[in-house]
């Protein structure tokens, strides 16, 4: 492959892998004129290495972060170390903390905060070659230091995107519902998703489980990931439902 336009470095931590997998599921089915690579960095040291390598072969490097509020302070310190060691990349924070506190996220050192659901925002960011200017769903500072918010991202039905990645072999428990209608005072999720439930259709959910059962996630037989085997058994027991939805 010739040198890409864009390298996406995922700061990949065990605590927050599912959000990345959903983004990758959307990305792998998206047609774009931007050539890109995706790499996974599981440590700060690996992140530094991947940034340096990416800047040597691509026009732009984006580092994608996702975290909850309790991790924000520690990761801000990590970010400062990474930026000092490997300057030149654009660091984009997403997830519930960045959505709830975008300005605080920028003040903590991230270059861009992604607000709300990330699928359409990431796809538009990739289409733009990693340039956040005018991409909806983002907050960043302009050259004068003023905070720019580009508006709410486009929110599409959950069936639009897969909730996992076949191309990069990154799988989740099957997401059939997103959001929450119960506005618990300690939780950002209802406010991030407009205090409502959204569901994948039962046909899409059942079809995904069938792909698990047929070995579409990898090799066939018992070497399939346990979550896939569980989802397949659940699908055979409960889908299609006995009454109309």
């Amino acid at each position: 492959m010739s040198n890409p336009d864009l390298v996406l470095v995922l700061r990949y931590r065990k605590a927050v892998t599912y959000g990345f997998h959903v983004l990758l599921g959307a990305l792998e089915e998206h047609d774009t004129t931007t050539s890109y690579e995706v790499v996974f960095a599981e440590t700060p040291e690996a992140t530094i290495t991947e940034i340096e390598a990416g800047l040597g072969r691509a026009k732009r490097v984006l580092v994608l972060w996702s975290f909850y509020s309790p991790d924000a302070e520690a990761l801000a310190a990590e970010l400062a170390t990474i930026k000092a060691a490997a300057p030149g990349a654009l660091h984009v924070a997403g997830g519930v903390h960045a959505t709830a506190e975008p300005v605080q996220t920028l003040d903590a050192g991230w270059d861009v905060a992604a607000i709300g659901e990330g699928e359409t925002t990431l796809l538009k960011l990739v289409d733009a070659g990693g340039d956040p200017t005018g991409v909806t769903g983002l907050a960043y500072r302009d050259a004068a230091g003023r905070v720019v918010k580009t508006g709410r991202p486009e929110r599409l039905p959950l069936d639009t995107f897969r909730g996992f990645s076949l191309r990069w072999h990154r799988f989740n428990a099957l997401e059939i519902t997103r959001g929450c209608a119960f506005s618990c005072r300690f939780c950002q999720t209802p406010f991030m998703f407009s205090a409502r439930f959204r569901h994948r259709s039962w046909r899409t959910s059942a079809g995904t489980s069938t792909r698990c059962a047929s070995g579409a996630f990898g090799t066939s037989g018992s070497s399939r990931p346990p979550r896939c085997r569980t989802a397949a058994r659940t699908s055979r027991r409960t889908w299609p439902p006995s009454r109309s939805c």
Side-chain angles (χ1 to χ4, degrees):
M1 178 179 178
S2 60
N3 288 342
D5 300 319
L6 180 66
V7 171
L8 300 173
V9 179
L10 275 56
R11 178 59 184 94
Y12 194 74
R13 302 181 303 121
K14 276 187 177 180
V16 288
T17 59
Y18 279 13
F20 282 137
H21 299 173
V22 171
L23 294 179
L24 293 175
L27 183 60
E28 68 187 23
E29 296 187 290
H30 179 62
D31 292 326
T32 181
T33 59
T34 301
S35 60
Y36 64 87
E37 293 178 7
V38 173
V39 295
F40 299 84
E42 297 187 1
T43 65
E45 294 76 17
T47 305
I48 292 168
T49 298
E50 295 295 354
I51 290 172
E52 293 174 336
L55 290 172
R57 66 181 187 275
K59 298 176 183 176
R60 193 185 297 264
V61 174
L62 298 188
V63 184
L64 306 185
W65 300 69
S66 181
F67 51 88
Y68 298 105
S69 295
D71 298 324
E73 183 176 356
L75 289 178
E78 179 183 309
L79 170 69
T81 299
I82 291 171
K83 293 181 79 170
L90 193 72
H91 292 264
V92 183
V96 290
H97 182 79
T99 295
E101 300 287 355
V103 176
Q104 183 187 88
T105 300
L106 299 178
D107 290 343
W110 281 273
D111 303 300
V112 180
I115 301 171
E117 295 185 12
E119 291 99 329
T120 58
T121 299
L122 177 63
L123 300 186
K124 291 178 180 179
L125 195 54
V126 169
D127 288 343
D131 182 358
T133 306
V135 174
T136 55
L138 298 177
Y140 53 87
R141 293 190 185 275
D142 63 15
R146 294 184 295 261
V147 174
V148 176
K149 293 184 179 180
T150 59
R152 297 184 67 84
E154 183 181 9
R155 182 177 291 180
L156 299 177
L158 291 187
D159 284 350
T160 306
F161 305 113
R162 272 201 299 260
F164 53 86
S165 171
L166 293 175
R167 176 177 175 184
W168 287 284
H169 306 288
R170 307 286 169 158
F171 308 112
N172 292 342
L174 179 61
E175 180 195 43
I176 60 174
T177 296
R178 182 179 294 182
C180 181
F182 304 101
S183 300
C184 299
R185 297 175 68 179
F186 60 83
C187 183
Q188 172 61 21
T189 298
F191 304 98
M192 183 174 179
F193 299 113
S194 303
R196 54 182 290 212
F197 290 116
R198 291 161 59 228
H199 308 286
R200 294 186 192 275
S201 68
W202 71 264
R203 289 181 177 84
T204 298
S205 300
T208 300
S209 294
T210 299
R211 297 189 75 172
C212 288
S214 64
F217 284 177
T219 56
S220 60
S222 60
S223 58
R224 289 197 304 273
R227 287 195 183 104
C228 298
R229 298 198 297 272
T230 301
R233 290 196 297 271
T234 302
S235 174
R236 287 194 292 268
R237 287 198 303 267
T238 61
W239 297 104
S242 57
R243 57 183 176 82
S244 60
C245 295

